[in-house]
Amino acid sequence: SLLVMVGLCASLTLTFPLAMFPVFEIVETHWLKKFLRPAPTPTMQEPLVPQANGSLREASAPDRFRSNVVRVVLVMATVLLSVAIPDFSVILALIGSLPCNIMAF
Protein backbone atom coordinates (compact mmCIF):
# COMPACT_ATOMS: atom_id res chain seq x y z
CA SER A 1 0.00 0.00 0.00
CA LEU A 2 2.82 2.40 0.86
CA LEU A 3 4.64 1.50 -2.34
CA VAL A 4 1.52 2.25 -4.38
CA MET A 5 1.10 5.64 -2.67
CA VAL A 6 4.76 6.50 -3.32
CA GLY A 7 4.34 5.48 -6.96
CA LEU A 8 1.23 7.65 -7.34
CA CYS A 9 2.98 10.63 -5.74
CA ALA A 10 5.99 10.19 -8.01
CA SER A 11 3.73 9.91 -11.05
CA LEU A 12 1.87 13.10 -10.13
CA THR A 13 5.09 14.97 -9.43
CA LEU A 14 6.68 13.93 -12.72
CA THR A 15 3.62 14.62 -14.90
CA PHE A 16 2.70 18.01 -13.40
CA PRO A 17 5.27 19.94 -15.51
CA LEU A 18 3.94 18.23 -18.64
CA ALA A 19 0.38 19.30 -17.85
CA MET A 20 1.39 22.85 -16.95
CA PHE A 21 3.63 23.47 -19.98
CA PRO A 22 0.77 24.69 -22.24
CA VAL A 23 -0.42 26.99 -19.45
CA PHE A 24 3.06 28.48 -19.07
CA GLU A 25 3.33 29.00 -22.82
CA ILE A 26 -0.04 30.76 -23.06
CA VAL A 27 0.63 33.03 -20.12
CA GLU A 28 4.18 33.90 -21.16
CA THR A 29 3.53 34.48 -24.86
CA HIS A 30 0.05 35.99 -24.88
CA TRP A 31 -0.70 37.55 -21.51
CA LEU A 32 2.75 38.99 -20.83
CA LYS A 33 3.63 40.12 -24.36
CA LYS A 34 3.06 43.77 -23.49
CA PHE A 35 5.90 43.56 -20.92
CA LEU A 36 8.46 42.12 -23.35
CA ARG A 37 10.96 44.32 -25.18
CA PRO A 38 11.43 44.41 -28.99
CA ALA A 39 13.17 41.40 -30.46
CA PRO A 40 17.00 41.53 -30.64
CA THR A 41 18.98 39.26 -32.94
CA PRO A 42 19.00 35.77 -31.36
CA THR A 43 22.22 33.85 -30.71
CA MET A 44 22.68 30.16 -30.08
CA GLN A 45 24.33 30.71 -26.67
CA GLU A 46 21.18 32.11 -25.04
CA PRO A 47 17.76 30.45 -24.73
CA LEU A 48 15.17 31.67 -27.23
CA VAL A 49 11.83 33.14 -26.23
CA PRO A 50 8.80 32.65 -28.52
CA GLN A 51 7.00 35.82 -29.59
CA ALA A 52 3.27 36.22 -30.19
CA ASN A 53 3.89 36.41 -33.96
CA GLY A 54 5.71 33.06 -33.96
CA SER A 55 9.27 34.40 -34.18
CA LEU A 56 11.98 33.72 -31.62
CA ARG A 57 14.19 36.14 -29.78
CA GLU A 58 16.99 35.98 -27.24
CA ALA A 59 15.87 35.70 -23.62
CA SER A 60 17.45 38.33 -21.43
CA ALA A 61 18.00 37.92 -17.69
CA PRO A 62 14.86 39.95 -16.80
CA ASP A 63 12.81 37.81 -19.20
CA ARG A 64 14.07 34.60 -17.60
CA PHE A 65 13.42 36.03 -14.14
CA ARG A 66 9.90 37.09 -15.17
CA SER A 67 9.22 33.62 -16.61
CA ASN A 68 10.41 31.96 -13.42
CA VAL A 69 8.24 34.26 -11.27
CA VAL A 70 5.19 33.55 -13.44
CA ARG A 71 5.80 29.81 -13.21
CA VAL A 72 6.24 29.88 -9.43
CA VAL A 73 3.05 31.92 -9.02
CA LEU A 74 1.07 29.52 -11.23
CA VAL A 75 2.37 26.45 -9.40
CA MET A 76 1.64 28.01 -6.01
CA ALA A 77 -1.86 28.98 -7.19
CA THR A 78 -2.60 25.38 -8.19
CA VAL A 79 -1.24 24.09 -4.87
CA LEU A 80 -3.31 26.57 -2.86
CA LEU A 81 -6.40 25.80 -4.93
CA SER A 82 -6.05 22.06 -4.40
CA VAL A 83 -5.48 22.49 -0.66
CA ALA A 84 -8.26 25.04 -0.15
CA ILE A 85 -11.05 23.09 -1.89
CA PRO A 86 -12.39 20.15 0.11
CA ASP A 87 -12.86 16.99 -1.99
CA PHE A 88 -10.80 18.44 -4.81
CA SER A 89 -10.46 14.97 -6.28
CA VAL A 90 -14.18 14.89 -7.11
CA ILE A 91 -13.95 18.20 -8.99
CA LEU A 92 -10.79 17.04 -10.75
CA ALA A 93 -12.44 13.77 -11.79
CA LEU A 94 -15.44 15.66 -13.19
CA ILE A 95 -13.25 18.07 -15.14
CA GLY A 96 -11.09 15.22 -16.41
CA SER A 97 -14.05 13.11 -17.50
CA LEU A 98 -15.76 15.81 -19.57
CA PRO A 99 -13.09 15.97 -22.34
CA CYS A 100 -12.98 12.18 -22.47
CA ASN A 101 -16.73 12.02 -23.12
CA ILE A 102 -16.50 14.72 -25.80
CA MET A 103 -13.62 12.90 -27.52
CA ALA A 104 -15.60 9.64 -27.49
CA PHE A 105 -18.34 11.14 -29.65
Side-chain angles (χ1 to χ4, degrees):
S1 172
L2 179 64
L3 186 60
V4 172
M5 293 298 287
V6 169
L8 288 173
C9 289
S11 171
L12 181 62
T13 303
L14 295 174
T15 57
F16 185 75
L18 182 64
M20 289 298 289
F21 182 74
V23 177
F24 295 148
E25 288 295 314
I26 290 169
V27 170
E28 290 174 1
T29 59
H30 297 291
W31 291 1
L32 296 179
K33 68 181 176 182
K34 64 181 176 181
F35 299 113
L36 297 178
R37 287 183 230 111
T41 305
T43 62
M44 295 308 289
Q45 285 80 20
E46 292 291 325
L48 300 177
V49 176
Q51 296 294 306
N53 63 3
S55 65
L56 296 175
R57 72 172 178 85
E58 182 179 343
S60 62
D63 289 336
R64 288 192 295 265
F65 179 75
R66 188 179 300 118
S67 292
N68 289 338
V69 168
V70 167
R71 290 172 186 225
V72 167
V73 167
L74 287 173
V75 169
M76 294 308 294
T78 57
V79 168
L80 291 175
L81 188 68
S82 65
V83 170
I85 297 176
D87 294 328
F88 185 71
S89 61
V90 174
I91 296 171
L92 191 61
L94 177 67
I95 292 171
S97 67
L98 289 176
C100 291
N101 289 330
I102 292 171
M103 288 188 299
F105 293 106

XYZ file of all heavy atoms in Angstrom:
801
model
N 0.828 -1.193 0.000
C 0.000 0.000 0.000
C 0.879 1.267 0.000
O 0.577 2.212 -0.698
C -0.907 -0.014 1.218
O -1.581 1.195 1.332
N 1.922 1.253 0.805
C 2.822 2.403 0.856
C 3.565 2.563 -0.458
O 3.742 3.685 -0.949
C 3.814 2.252 2.013
C 4.824 3.376 2.161
C 4.101 4.680 2.486
C 5.840 3.045 3.229
N 3.951 1.454 -1.064
C 4.644 1.502 -2.341
C 3.743 2.075 -3.441
O 4.198 2.852 -4.295
C 5.140 0.098 -2.714
C 6.012 0.000 -3.956
C 7.276 0.841 -3.779
C 6.365 -1.433 -4.236
N 2.471 1.712 -3.408
C 1.518 2.250 -4.381
C 1.360 3.747 -4.190
O 1.340 4.513 -5.155
C 0.162 1.521 -4.266
C -0.902 2.198 -5.121
C 0.305 0.068 -4.650
N 1.241 4.207 -2.955
C 1.105 5.643 -2.675
C 2.348 6.410 -3.121
O 2.239 7.499 -3.689
C 0.843 5.874 -1.188
C -0.494 5.367 -0.723
S -1.857 6.195 -1.532
C -1.796 7.768 -0.741
N 3.523 5.856 -2.879
C 4.761 6.499 -3.317
C 4.801 6.559 -4.840
O 5.191 7.577 -5.426
C 5.994 5.749 -2.754
C 7.274 6.233 -3.405
C 6.059 5.925 -1.245
N 4.387 5.497 -5.496
C 4.342 5.484 -6.957
C 3.375 6.512 -7.517
O 3.671 7.196 -8.498
N 2.201 6.646 -6.895
C 1.231 7.648 -7.344
C 1.755 9.063 -7.125
O 1.571 9.936 -7.980
C -0.098 7.451 -6.619
C -0.906 6.235 -7.039
C -2.123 6.057 -6.137
C -1.337 6.351 -8.490
N 2.398 9.306 -6.009
C 2.978 10.627 -5.744
C 4.087 10.946 -6.737
O 4.178 12.069 -7.242
C 3.502 10.707 -4.316
S 2.204 10.747 -3.086
N 4.918 9.976 -7.033
C 5.993 10.190 -8.011
C 5.407 10.449 -9.396
O 5.884 11.330 -10.133
C 6.923 8.983 -8.037
N 4.371 9.718 -9.749
C 3.726 9.911 -11.049
C 3.130 11.311 -11.162
O 3.303 11.986 -12.179
C 2.629 8.859 -11.237
O 1.871 9.155 -12.374
N 2.461 11.762 -10.128
C 1.871 13.100 -10.134
C 2.948 14.174 -10.197
O 2.829 15.152 -10.943
C 0.999 13.295 -8.892
C 0.293 14.638 -8.769
C -0.668 14.833 -9.928
C -0.434 14.730 -7.458
N 4.008 13.989 -9.441
C 5.093 14.967 -9.427
C 5.791 15.054 -10.780
O 6.142 16.141 -11.235
C 6.117 14.598 -8.340
O 5.448 14.528 -7.077
C 7.233 15.614 -8.267
N 5.971 13.931 -11.445
C 6.681 13.926 -12.716
C 5.813 14.349 -13.894
O 6.333 14.809 -14.915
C 7.281 12.546 -12.976
C 8.364 12.120 -11.978
C 8.796 10.695 -12.238
C 9.545 13.061 -12.026
N 4.483 14.224 -13.792
C 3.617 14.619 -14.901
C 3.068 16.034 -14.748
O 2.523 16.570 -15.712
C 2.435 13.648 -15.058
O 1.702 13.597 -13.832
C 2.920 12.270 -15.457
N 3.203 16.649 -13.604
C 2.704 18.011 -13.402
C 3.352 19.014 -14.356
O 2.645 19.821 -14.964
C 2.893 18.434 -11.938
C 2.301 19.778 -11.638
C 0.936 19.930 -11.528
C 3.106 20.883 -11.482
C 0.378 21.169 -11.252
C 2.571 22.122 -11.212
C 1.200 22.260 -11.094
N 4.680 18.992 -14.540
C 5.266 19.935 -15.511
C 4.747 19.731 -16.931
O 4.577 20.692 -17.679
C 6.766 19.649 -15.443
C 6.971 18.988 -14.134
C 5.709 18.245 -13.835
N 4.471 18.507 -17.305
C 3.940 18.226 -18.639
C 2.546 18.830 -18.808
O 2.229 19.399 -19.852
C 3.900 16.711 -18.871
C 3.430 16.234 -20.226
C 4.403 16.694 -21.302
C 3.314 14.732 -20.231
N 1.730 18.729 -17.777
C 0.381 19.296 -17.848
C 0.390 20.816 -17.792
O -0.463 21.471 -18.385
C -0.469 18.734 -16.708
N 1.354 21.397 -17.092
C 1.394 22.854 -16.948
C 2.136 23.554 -18.076
O 2.044 24.774 -18.211
C 2.046 23.224 -15.609
C 1.191 22.914 -14.401
S -0.350 23.808 -14.369
C 0.202 25.452 -14.010
N 2.860 22.836 -18.913
C 3.632 23.467 -19.983
C 2.772 24.317 -20.920
O 3.137 25.459 -21.223
C 4.412 22.417 -20.769
C 5.259 22.999 -21.852
C 6.431 23.663 -21.548
C 4.877 22.900 -23.179
C 7.218 24.218 -22.532
C 5.652 23.450 -24.174
C 6.819 24.111 -23.858
N 1.602 23.826 -21.390
C 0.772 24.691 -22.238
C 0.289 25.947 -21.518
O 0.194 27.019 -22.115
C -0.407 23.811 -22.630
C 0.044 22.430 -22.401
C 1.053 22.475 -21.304
N 0.009 25.830 -20.227
C -0.423 26.992 -19.454
C 0.697 28.019 -19.386
O 0.470 29.227 -19.586
C -0.856 26.566 -18.034
C -1.232 27.765 -17.187
C -1.997 25.568 -18.097
N 1.917 27.566 -19.114
C 3.061 28.478 -19.069
C 3.250 29.176 -20.417
O 3.502 30.377 -20.470
C 4.339 27.739 -18.698
C 4.344 27.156 -17.315
C 5.042 25.990 -17.059
C 3.673 27.764 -16.275
C 5.062 25.435 -15.786
C 3.691 27.223 -15.001
C 4.379 26.061 -14.759
N 3.143 28.427 -21.495
C 3.331 29.002 -22.822
C 2.281 30.064 -23.124
O 2.597 31.123 -23.658
C 3.291 27.909 -23.889
C 4.496 27.022 -23.887
C 5.757 27.761 -24.260
O 5.734 28.521 -25.233
O 6.761 27.578 -23.555
N 1.033 29.790 -22.795
C -0.037 30.758 -23.060
C 0.170 32.020 -22.247
O 0.077 33.134 -22.767
C -1.411 30.126 -22.773
C -1.731 29.072 -23.826
C -2.502 31.191 -22.741
C -2.931 28.219 -23.501
N 0.459 31.865 -20.975
C 0.635 33.032 -20.116
C 1.852 33.841 -20.533
O 1.784 35.073 -20.629
C 0.742 32.606 -18.633
C 1.159 33.756 -17.754
C -0.594 32.051 -18.155
N 2.950 33.177 -20.830
C 4.181 33.896 -21.160
C 4.132 34.546 -22.532
O 4.665 35.632 -22.720
C 5.378 32.956 -21.066
C 5.698 32.571 -19.647
C 6.794 31.524 -19.559
O 7.315 31.116 -20.613
O 7.101 31.115 -18.441
N 3.510 33.917 -23.514
C 3.533 34.482 -24.864
C 2.366 35.408 -25.158
O 2.521 36.342 -25.935
C 3.559 33.374 -25.930
O 2.417 32.544 -25.772
C 4.822 32.567 -25.845
N 1.215 35.183 -24.551
C 0.050 35.991 -24.882
C -0.294 37.024 -23.814
O -0.600 38.164 -24.135
C -1.159 35.100 -25.155
C -0.963 34.213 -26.338
N -0.907 34.684 -27.627
C -0.765 32.881 -26.430
C -0.705 33.686 -28.457
N -0.610 32.575 -27.762
N -0.276 36.628 -22.563
C -0.702 37.551 -21.508
C 0.394 38.521 -21.114
O 0.121 39.615 -20.669
C -1.178 36.788 -20.296
C -2.471 36.062 -20.522
C -3.199 36.013 -21.670
C -3.191 35.293 -19.573
N -4.303 35.253 -21.505
C -4.339 34.791 -20.227
C -2.980 34.961 -18.258
C -5.265 33.997 -19.583
C -3.904 34.166 -17.622
C -5.036 33.693 -18.279
N 1.650 38.120 -21.251
C 2.747 38.991 -20.834
C 3.465 39.663 -22.000
O 4.503 40.273 -21.811
C 3.761 38.187 -20.008
C 3.242 37.641 -18.686
C 4.324 36.852 -17.992
C 2.747 38.752 -17.793
N 2.916 39.574 -23.210
C 3.630 40.119 -24.362
C 3.785 41.633 -24.285
O 4.711 42.182 -24.862
C 2.953 39.715 -25.662
C 1.598 40.331 -25.876
C 1.001 39.852 -27.173
C -0.404 40.416 -27.327
N -1.033 39.937 -28.536
N 2.921 42.320 -23.581
C 3.062 43.774 -23.493
C 4.230 44.178 -22.601
O 4.680 45.316 -22.662
C 1.773 44.412 -22.995
C 1.375 44.025 -21.597
C 0.064 44.690 -21.213
C -0.374 44.228 -19.845
N -1.636 44.833 -19.453
N 4.759 43.252 -21.788
C 5.898 43.558 -20.923
C 7.247 43.210 -21.558
O 8.283 43.531 -20.999
C 5.778 42.822 -19.589
C 4.555 43.209 -18.814
C 3.536 42.299 -18.608
C 4.429 44.485 -18.307
C 2.407 42.651 -17.896
C 3.305 44.847 -17.593
C 2.289 43.934 -17.399
N 7.225 42.546 -22.706
C 8.462 42.124 -23.349
C 8.984 43.222 -24.256
O 8.234 43.951 -24.885
C 8.231 40.842 -24.155
C 7.808 39.638 -23.327
C 7.564 38.450 -24.232
C 8.847 39.300 -22.283
N 10.307 43.316 -24.338
C 10.959 44.325 -25.183
C 10.978 43.887 -26.633
O 10.757 42.721 -26.932
C 12.382 44.536 -24.677
C 12.401 45.291 -23.386
C 13.836 45.540 -22.977
N 13.933 45.111 -21.594
C 14.595 44.060 -21.181
N 15.275 43.327 -22.005
N 14.608 43.737 -19.919
N 11.305 44.804 -27.586
C 11.428 44.412 -28.993
C 12.485 43.331 -29.188
O 13.432 43.225 -28.416
C 11.835 45.709 -29.694
C 11.431 46.796 -28.778
C 11.472 46.229 -27.391
N 12.327 42.570 -30.230
C 13.172 41.397 -30.456
C 14.573 41.768 -30.924
O 14.739 42.386 -31.959
C 12.514 40.494 -31.486
N 15.630 41.397 -30.153
C 16.998 41.535 -30.642
C 17.350 40.342 -31.529
O 16.585 39.408 -31.659
C 17.839 41.539 -29.367
C 17.044 40.721 -28.419
C 15.594 40.969 -28.763
N 18.521 40.371 -32.121
C 18.980 39.255 -32.944
C 19.326 38.078 -32.027
O 20.129 38.221 -31.109
C 20.222 39.661 -33.748
O 19.908 40.829 -34.481
C 20.650 38.546 -34.672
N 18.718 36.908 -32.233
C 19.004 35.766 -31.356
C 20.378 35.161 -31.632
O 20.881 35.221 -32.741
C 17.892 34.771 -31.698
C 17.465 35.142 -33.059
C 17.698 36.618 -33.219
N 20.980 34.600 -30.584
C 22.225 33.851 -30.710
C 21.994 32.452 -30.174
O 21.034 32.213 -29.449
C 23.358 34.517 -29.904
O 22.978 34.513 -28.524
C 23.618 35.928 -30.368
N 22.859 31.540 -30.513
C 22.679 30.161 -30.077
C 23.141 29.937 -28.641
O 22.848 28.912 -28.060
C 23.423 29.216 -31.012
C 22.875 29.190 -32.426
S 21.093 28.895 -32.503
C 21.019 27.201 -32.022
N 23.849 30.897 -28.037
C 24.330 30.713 -26.674
C 23.220 30.957 -25.649
O 23.262 30.442 -24.555
C 25.496 31.668 -26.379
C 26.794 31.255 -27.024
C 26.844 31.638 -28.492
O 26.108 32.504 -28.932
N 27.699 30.976 -29.242
N 22.252 31.763 -25.976
C 21.184 32.110 -25.044
C 19.908 31.354 -25.409
O 19.652 31.081 -26.577
C 20.918 33.616 -25.093
C 22.046 34.448 -24.548
C 22.213 34.289 -23.051
O 21.204 34.119 -22.351
O 23.351 34.313 -22.586
N 19.060 31.071 -24.422
C 17.765 30.455 -24.733
C 16.909 31.413 -25.564
O 17.040 32.620 -25.450
C 17.131 30.227 -23.363
C 18.179 30.457 -22.364
C 19.280 31.234 -23.007
N 16.039 30.857 -26.392
C 15.174 31.671 -27.231
C 13.777 31.746 -26.637
O 13.272 30.775 -26.097
C 15.120 31.091 -28.643
C 16.471 31.023 -29.367
C 16.292 30.366 -30.721
C 17.076 32.395 -29.505
N 13.161 32.909 -26.754
C 11.826 33.139 -26.231
C 10.868 33.275 -27.402
O 11.106 34.076 -28.305
C 11.791 34.429 -25.373
C 10.389 34.729 -24.905
C 12.739 34.314 -24.205
N 9.760 32.502 -27.426
C 8.798 32.650 -28.523
C 8.027 33.957 -28.397
O 7.668 34.373 -27.307
C 7.880 31.440 -28.361
C 8.028 31.037 -26.951
C 9.398 31.446 -26.504
N 7.784 34.598 -29.532
C 7.003 35.823 -29.589
C 5.578 35.482 -29.998
O 5.300 34.384 -30.474
C 7.616 36.790 -30.607
C 8.998 37.257 -30.228
C 8.970 38.107 -28.983
O 8.240 39.077 -28.915
N 9.744 37.733 -27.993
N 4.669 36.436 -29.831
C 3.274 36.219 -30.189
C 3.108 35.998 -31.696
O 2.195 35.302 -32.122
C 2.429 37.404 -29.734
N 3.993 36.573 -32.513
C 3.887 36.413 -33.959
C 4.565 35.140 -34.465
O 4.639 34.916 -35.659
C 4.458 37.637 -34.679
C 5.934 37.833 -34.409
O 6.563 37.031 -33.724
N 6.477 38.907 -34.933
N 5.091 34.326 -33.584
C 5.710 33.062 -33.965
C 7.216 33.114 -34.098
O 7.857 32.086 -34.221
N 7.812 34.294 -34.074
C 9.266 34.399 -34.176
C 9.918 34.131 -32.825
O 9.253 34.089 -31.799
C 9.661 35.791 -34.684
O 9.292 36.769 -33.733
N 11.228 33.958 -32.847
C 11.978 33.720 -31.621
C 12.930 34.869 -31.380
O 13.408 35.509 -32.313
C 12.783 32.416 -31.735
C 11.978 31.136 -31.889
C 12.915 29.975 -32.120
C 11.109 30.896 -30.689
N 13.198 35.129 -30.111
C 14.190 36.139 -29.777
C 14.980 35.691 -28.559
O 14.562 34.792 -27.833
C 13.557 37.501 -29.542
C 12.784 37.615 -28.258
C 12.384 39.071 -28.053
N 11.616 39.209 -26.858
C 12.121 39.363 -25.639
N 13.418 39.395 -25.469
N 11.344 39.481 -24.597
N 16.108 36.323 -28.346
C 16.989 35.977 -27.237
C 16.328 36.339 -25.912
O 15.749 37.403 -25.765
C 18.294 36.748 -27.396
C 19.322 36.452 -26.363
C 20.584 37.254 -26.613
O 20.780 37.763 -27.715
O 21.362 37.351 -25.671
N 16.427 35.447 -24.939
C 15.871 35.698 -23.618
C 16.903 36.423 -22.774
O 18.003 35.935 -22.570
C 15.478 34.390 -22.941
N 16.544 37.593 -22.294
C 17.450 38.333 -21.425
C 17.250 37.864 -19.986
O 16.312 37.129 -19.686
C 17.187 39.835 -21.546
O 15.876 40.124 -21.117
N 18.116 38.315 -19.100
C 18.003 37.924 -17.686
C 16.676 38.363 -17.083
O 16.040 37.579 -16.359
C 19.184 38.480 -16.897
N 16.179 39.591 -17.340
C 14.859 39.952 -16.801
C 13.732 39.090 -17.352
O 12.785 38.777 -16.631
C 14.681 41.416 -17.213
C 16.045 41.923 -17.411
C 16.841 40.755 -17.920
N 13.836 38.681 -18.635
C 12.808 37.808 -19.204
C 12.805 36.445 -18.525
O 11.747 35.894 -18.232
C 13.021 37.624 -20.705
C 12.708 38.875 -21.488
O 11.930 39.708 -20.988
O 13.245 39.010 -22.595
N 13.989 35.894 -18.292
C 14.070 34.599 -17.604
C 13.561 34.714 -16.175
O 12.856 33.835 -15.684
C 15.503 34.074 -17.638
C 15.925 33.587 -19.010
C 17.224 32.827 -18.935
N 18.318 33.692 -18.515
C 19.148 34.308 -19.349
N 18.998 34.150 -20.635
N 20.117 35.062 -18.900
N 13.901 35.823 -15.500
C 13.415 36.029 -14.140
C 11.895 36.152 -14.131
O 11.221 35.565 -13.298
C 14.064 37.282 -13.536
C 13.594 37.579 -12.146
C 14.037 36.820 -11.081
C 12.698 38.604 -11.905
C 13.600 37.073 -9.791
C 12.251 38.871 -10.621
C 12.709 38.102 -9.565
N 11.349 36.908 -15.086
C 9.896 37.088 -15.174
C 9.210 35.749 -15.444
O 8.177 35.440 -14.843
C 9.565 38.089 -16.274
C 8.118 38.490 -16.310
C 7.808 39.508 -17.390
N 8.569 40.731 -17.187
C 9.472 41.211 -18.050
N 9.720 40.581 -19.159
N 10.123 42.319 -17.796
N 9.787 34.945 -16.329
C 9.221 33.623 -16.612
C 9.230 32.740 -15.373
O 8.255 32.041 -15.089
C 9.999 32.937 -17.729
O 9.806 33.579 -18.942
N 10.326 32.771 -14.636
C 10.406 31.963 -13.419
C 9.402 32.426 -12.376
O 8.781 31.606 -11.696
C 11.819 31.996 -12.852
C 12.787 31.213 -13.706
O 12.394 30.341 -14.461
N 14.064 31.540 -13.596
N 9.221 33.732 -12.242
C 8.245 34.256 -11.274
C 6.837 33.839 -11.674
O 6.043 33.392 -10.838
C 8.359 35.792 -11.155
C 7.186 36.371 -10.399
C 9.663 36.184 -10.476
N 6.520 33.949 -12.961
C 5.191 33.550 -13.438
C 4.960 32.071 -13.176
O 3.887 31.667 -12.702
C 5.041 33.873 -14.934
C 3.821 33.190 -15.533
C 4.958 35.368 -15.143
N 5.956 31.250 -13.428
C 5.800 29.809 -13.214
C 5.625 29.467 -11.737
O 4.797 28.630 -11.377
C 6.992 29.065 -13.811
C 6.973 29.117 -15.315
C 8.212 28.562 -15.938
N 8.164 28.770 -17.379
C 8.481 27.840 -18.260
N 8.897 26.666 -17.853
N 8.407 28.106 -19.542
N 6.386 30.129 -10.870
C 6.245 29.882 -9.427
C 4.857 30.309 -8.949
O 4.213 29.595 -8.181
C 7.365 30.615 -8.646
C 7.064 30.635 -7.162
C 8.703 29.948 -8.897
N 4.380 31.446 -9.424
C 3.048 31.923 -9.022
C 1.971 30.954 -9.497
O 1.045 30.627 -8.738
C 2.803 33.347 -9.562
C 1.347 33.741 -9.446
C 3.677 34.350 -8.834
N 2.074 30.463 -10.726
C 1.071 29.520 -11.230
C 1.094 28.197 -10.464
O 0.042 27.634 -10.149
C 1.280 29.274 -12.721
C 0.885 30.422 -13.638
C 1.304 30.128 -15.068
C -0.600 30.668 -13.571
N 2.278 27.706 -10.162
C 2.371 26.454 -9.399
C 1.817 26.644 -7.990
O 1.053 25.804 -7.488
C 3.828 25.943 -9.361
C 3.986 24.808 -8.370
C 4.260 25.490 -10.748
N 2.163 27.752 -7.352
C 1.644 28.011 -6.006
C 0.126 28.197 -6.023
O -0.572 27.768 -5.096
C 2.324 29.235 -5.386
C 3.804 29.038 -5.118
S 4.185 27.551 -4.178
C 3.444 27.931 -2.620
N -0.411 28.809 -7.074
C -1.862 28.978 -7.185
C -2.557 27.626 -7.304
O -3.602 27.403 -6.673
C -2.204 29.855 -8.384
N -1.984 26.704 -8.076
C -2.603 25.385 -8.190
C -2.497 24.608 -6.876
O -3.429 23.897 -6.499
C -1.973 24.565 -9.324
O -0.571 24.454 -9.110
C -2.250 25.183 -10.663
N -1.385 24.766 -6.171
C -1.238 24.092 -4.871
C -2.256 24.644 -3.874
O -2.946 23.882 -3.195
C 0.206 24.242 -4.342
C 0.297 23.817 -2.893
C 1.166 23.450 -5.189
N -2.359 25.958 -3.792
C -3.313 26.567 -2.862
C -4.747 26.213 -3.219
O -5.572 25.969 -2.327
C -3.129 28.084 -2.828
C -1.837 28.571 -2.190
C -1.708 30.086 -2.328
C -1.779 28.170 -0.720
N -5.058 26.166 -4.498
C -6.403 25.798 -4.930
C -6.731 24.362 -4.540
O -7.826 24.075 -4.039
C -6.519 25.978 -6.440
C -7.888 25.821 -7.047
C -8.793 26.960 -6.590
C -7.790 25.807 -8.550
N -5.788 23.463 -4.728
C -6.049 22.061 -4.399
C -6.130 21.823 -2.895
O -6.844 20.933 -2.445
C -4.979 21.161 -5.018
O -3.720 21.436 -4.435
N -5.414 22.633 -2.116
C -5.476 22.489 -0.662
C -6.738 23.151 -0.099
O -7.357 22.643 0.839
C -4.207 23.090 -0.018
C -4.344 23.188 1.482
C -2.997 22.255 -0.381
N -7.149 24.260 -0.693
C -8.265 25.035 -0.153
C -9.624 24.406 -0.433
O -10.563 24.599 0.339
C -8.232 26.451 -0.717
N -9.750 23.668 -1.532
C -11.048 23.089 -1.894
C -11.171 21.697 -1.295
O -10.380 20.810 -1.600
C -11.204 23.020 -3.422
C -11.186 24.423 -4.006
C -12.493 22.300 -3.796
C -11.232 24.453 -5.505
N -12.180 21.498 -0.428
C -12.387 20.151 0.106
C -12.893 19.223 -1.009
O -13.636 19.637 -1.891
C -13.440 20.336 1.197
C -14.103 21.625 0.880
C -13.131 22.456 0.099
N -12.497 17.985 -0.973
C -12.858 16.989 -1.989
C -12.481 17.452 -3.393
O -13.255 17.357 -4.338
C -14.357 16.662 -1.927
C -14.725 15.972 -0.625
O -13.868 15.240 -0.091
O -15.852 16.167 -0.146
N -11.283 17.960 -3.513
C -10.798 18.442 -4.812
C -10.734 17.313 -5.827
O -10.890 17.540 -7.022
C -9.422 19.092 -4.643
C -8.895 19.721 -5.889
C -9.450 20.885 -6.383
C -7.842 19.141 -6.580
C -8.973 21.468 -7.542
C -7.352 19.720 -7.729
C -7.925 20.883 -8.213
N -10.556 16.097 -5.361
C -10.456 14.966 -6.284
C -11.761 14.747 -7.045
O -11.743 14.334 -8.202
C -10.062 13.698 -5.532
O -11.047 13.383 -4.563
N -12.897 15.041 -6.423
C -14.183 14.889 -7.107
C -14.299 15.915 -8.236
O -14.719 15.591 -9.351
C -15.343 15.044 -6.097
C -16.687 15.028 -6.809
C -15.277 13.958 -5.051
N -13.910 17.149 -7.960
C -13.947 18.200 -8.986
C -12.969 17.865 -10.111
O -13.289 18.014 -11.290
C -13.626 19.565 -8.353
C -14.707 19.932 -7.345
C -13.503 20.638 -9.416
C -14.380 21.137 -6.504
N -11.797 17.396 -9.751
C -10.790 17.038 -10.750
C -11.261 15.871 -11.619
O -11.055 15.876 -12.844
C -9.474 16.697 -10.057
C -8.261 16.549 -10.936
C -7.972 17.853 -11.663
C -7.068 16.156 -10.102
N -11.919 14.895 -11.023
C -12.441 13.770 -11.787
C -13.536 14.224 -12.747
O -13.601 13.756 -13.901
C -12.979 12.700 -10.847
N -14.390 15.144 -12.315
C -15.440 15.663 -13.186
C -14.839 16.426 -14.365
O -15.213 16.217 -15.524
C -16.379 16.574 -12.398
C -17.481 17.255 -13.208
C -18.456 16.216 -13.724
C -18.184 18.293 -12.378
N -13.885 17.290 -14.080
C -13.247 18.071 -15.140
C -12.477 17.156 -16.092
O -12.471 17.364 -17.298
C -12.329 19.146 -14.532
C -13.169 20.199 -13.815
C -11.459 19.795 -15.592
C -12.373 21.187 -13.010
N -11.831 16.137 -15.563
C -11.089 15.217 -16.410
C -11.977 14.314 -17.238
O -11.602 13.898 -18.333
N -13.171 14.007 -16.755
C -14.054 13.107 -17.496
C -14.794 13.811 -18.629
O -15.179 13.164 -19.609
C -15.056 12.461 -16.550
O -15.952 13.445 -16.049
N -15.013 15.100 -18.528
C -15.756 15.811 -19.571
C -15.045 15.761 -20.933
O -15.678 15.442 -21.938
C -16.031 17.250 -19.146
C -17.060 17.401 -18.020
C -17.182 18.849 -17.613
C -18.398 16.836 -18.430
N -13.748 16.076 -21.015
C -13.095 15.971 -22.335
C -13.066 14.551 -22.878
O -13.152 14.358 -24.088
C -11.676 16.472 -22.091
C -11.755 17.288 -20.852
C -12.855 16.688 -20.045
N -12.986 13.564 -21.998
C -12.978 12.177 -22.475
C -14.316 11.820 -23.116
O -14.362 11.134 -24.145
C -12.679 11.231 -21.320
S -11.011 11.357 -20.716
N -15.420 12.275 -22.536
C -16.728 12.017 -23.122
C -16.903 12.738 -24.454
O -17.479 12.202 -25.400
C -17.843 12.441 -22.161
C -17.937 11.511 -20.983
O -17.625 10.345 -21.085
N -18.368 12.047 -19.864
N -16.396 13.960 -24.548
C -16.501 14.716 -25.802
C -15.662 14.035 -26.886
O -16.106 13.933 -28.031
C -16.053 16.175 -25.563
C -17.067 16.886 -24.659
C -15.903 16.921 -26.877
C -16.622 18.236 -24.183
N -14.468 13.560 -26.534
C -13.617 12.903 -27.524
C -14.208 11.566 -27.977
O -13.948 11.114 -29.082
C -12.214 12.685 -26.970
C -11.426 13.967 -26.861
S -9.703 13.728 -26.433
C -9.788 12.928 -24.845
N -15.017 10.922 -27.130
C -15.602 9.641 -27.490
C -16.657 9.784 -28.569
O -16.907 8.851 -29.335
C -16.203 8.979 -26.263
N -17.288 10.945 -28.640
C -18.339 11.142 -29.649
C -17.762 11.897 -30.759
O -17.831 12.277 -31.675
C -19.534 11.877 -29.053
C -20.243 11.044 -28.024
C -20.138 11.317 -26.687
C -21.007 9.957 -28.409
C -20.786 10.568 -25.731
C -21.666 9.191 -27.479
C -21.562 9.503 -26.138
